[in-house]
């Protein structure tokens, strides 16, 4: 089931460890995981760590309060 679905993880400071752990587990189970945060540094760090574990993940900056960012995120997940 998981391998056929995309998973989107929004990383934010207070729950970054929880979000990272969820992303890791979903990627290990074969989900296509997209990491998102308002800060590029957070996206880069999470993606780098997960890829170092040979997990296929992608990431992009997204501020959920900005419609343009949300649209870019949806486009990224659908591609």
């Amino acid at each position: 089931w998981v391998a056929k679905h995309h998973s989107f993880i929004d990383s934010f400071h207070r729950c970054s460890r929880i979000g990272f752990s969820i992303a890791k587990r979903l990627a290990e189970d074969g989900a296509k995981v997209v990491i998102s945060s308002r800060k590029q540094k957070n996206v880069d760090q999470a993606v780098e760590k997960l890829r170092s574990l040979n997990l296929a993940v992608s990431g992009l900056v997204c501020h959920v309060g900005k419609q343009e960012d949300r649209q870019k995120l949806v486009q990224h997940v659908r591609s």
Side-chain angles (χ1 to χ4, degrees), residues 65-79:
K66 296 181 180 178
Q67 182 178 0
E68 181 180 330
D69 282 7
R70 293 190 310 268
Q71 289 171 337
K72 286 180 185 177
L73 178 63
V74 170
Q75 289 292 338
H76 181 83
V77 170
R78 287 185 176 170
S79 64

Side-chain angles (χ1 to χ4, degrees), residues 8-77:
F8 159 70
I9 305 297
D10 182 40
S11 173
F12 51 95
H13 182 68
R14 289 178 295 159
C15 295
S16 61
R17 290 184 301 199
I18 294 169
F20 181 84
S21 295
I22 293 169
K24 180 177 179 284
R25 177 57 190 257
L26 289 169
E28 289 171 342
D29 288 346
K32 296 178 181 177
V33 175
V34 177
I35 303 294
S36 174
S37 175
R38 289 183 294 158
K39 297 180 180 179
Q40 185 69 54
K41 179 182 83 170
N42 295 345
V43 174
D44 293 344
Q45 287 176 348
V47 169
E48 182 180 326
K49 286 179 186 177
L50 292 168
R51 286 184 178 166
S52 74
L53 300 172
N54 294 317
L55 298 172
V57 300
S58 62
L60 74 152
V61 172
C62 178
H63 186 298
V64 296
K66 296 181 180 178
Q67 182 178 0
E68 181 180 330
D69 282 7
R70 293 190 310 268
Q71 289 171 337
K72 286 180 185 177
L73 178 63
V74 170
Q75 289 292 338
H76 181 83
V77 170

